[in-house]
Amino acid sequence: MIERILNLIAPHYCIVCGSEGAVVCEWCMPDFVAPLPSRCYICKVATKDFRVCRKCRTRSALNHVWVSTIYEGQAKELVQDFKFKRKKAASEFIARKMTETLPYFDTNTVLTHVPTATDRVRQRGYDHAELIACNLARLLCLRYEALLFRVTKTRQVGASRKERYKQMENAFAPRKKIAKGGARILLVDDLVTTGATLESAARCLQNHGANEVSAVVFAQR
């Protein structure tokens, strides 16, 4: 409700055509970003339904990682506006683009987000990944649960792949134990670079009861 009132006072403008009323208008939405072909998110080899390939599965805790687009151009501008200019309405648009990439999930699937460091949540006033996950769960008619919390506050900007994986070791802890043999978990985040954050979150979920973990992200660097 507050977001709607603020939008009346200081309305959003489409970052493509400049029309008033939305961060990306309905007219521009279909062609806003170029969709990615199905591929392994680690080595980029073509796979069915964004499955992590057989070779990369030996070091990955994830079964599938669905990616909507590449982190460049207008997709990059949208994410930066969402995270750093308080354009919370972008979360619904991002979730809608994710649904175009995702397959059908049965009702046992549980969505959860990759938690942002607490100091950045305080700075922004919200956890951007949580907003996306809640919108996505509503669009898919699935259950959302906050299953993880962030232990570390390390910033990964500028770090090498090896450094990122080292930084993210034990970065997450469970909010509660997941019943064995229970739900399929779908992790939600805005971006993936090396995959260190997604893999750390997925391993934490597996270590506390999850049988299968996959992920969906809006863009890949």
Side-chain angles (χ1 to χ4, degrees), residues 2 29 43 53 71-72 76 119 123 132 135 146 149 165-166 172-173 180 200 213 215 220:
I2 294 173
M29 182 174 178
C43 68
C53 73
Y71 185 63
E72 62 183 17
K76 181 177 180 179
D119 57 341
Q123 289 170 4
I132 297 171
N135 274 295
F149 65 87
Y165 271 84
K166 183 65 177 178
F172 301 98
K180 286 190 176 295
S200 179
V213 184
Q220 183 165 27

Side-chain angles (χ1 to χ4, degrees), residues 32-33 67-69 75 78-79 94 97-98 189-190 216-219:
F32 177 69
V33 293
V67 184
S68 298
T69 192
L78 178 68
V79 171
I94 289 171
K97 296 306 291 186
M98 285 176 166
D189 207 353
D190 61 331
V216 57
V217 298
F218 176 59

Side-chain angles (χ1 to χ4, degrees), residues 24-137:
V24 180
C25 71
E26 292 294 331
W27 181 263
C28 295
M29 182 174 178
D31 302 317
F32 177 69
V33 293
L36 280 180
S38 179
R39 66 188 192 181
C40 171
Y41 92 102
I42 298 173
C43 68
K44 313 300 189 299
V45 67
T47 61
K48 185 178 180 180
D49 200 20
F50 287 90
R51 180 177 288 276
V52 177
C53 73
R54 185 176 299 178
K55 180 180 178 181
C56 294
R57 277 288 291 148
T58 59
R59 55 192 173 96
S60 176
L62 294 155
N63 288 56
H64 303 257
V65 178
W66 290 275
V67 184
S68 298
T69 192
I70 294 294
Y71 185 63
E72 62 183 17
Q74 293 170 340
K76 181 177 180 179
E77 182 181 351
L78 178 68
V79 171
Q80 291 183 339
D81 285 354
F82 176 36
K83 294 168 74 170
F84 307 117
K85 296 183 180 179
R86 299 187 60 82
K87 291 189 178 181
K88 294 169 66 176
S91 63
E92 183 172 0
F93 172 81
I94 289 171
R96 288 174 64 185
K97 296 306 291 186
M98 285 176 166
T99 64
E100 297 174 7
T101 307
L102 291 169
Y104 168 79
F105 294 101
D106 63 43
T107 54
N108 285 329
T109 305
V110 175
L111 272 70
T112 194
H113 72 290
V114 178
T116 306
T118 53
D119 57 341
R120 290 191 284 283
V121 173
R122 286 193 295 269
Q123 289 170 4
R124 295 171 189 162
Y126 54 89
D127 187 322
H128 62 282
E130 182 178 14
L131 290 181
I132 297 171
C134 289
N135 274 295
L136 186 59

Side-chain angles (χ1 to χ4, degrees), residues 108 178-184 209-212:
N108 285 329
I178 302 165
K180 286 190 176 295
R184 176 186 188 184
N211 284 336
E212 181 182 329

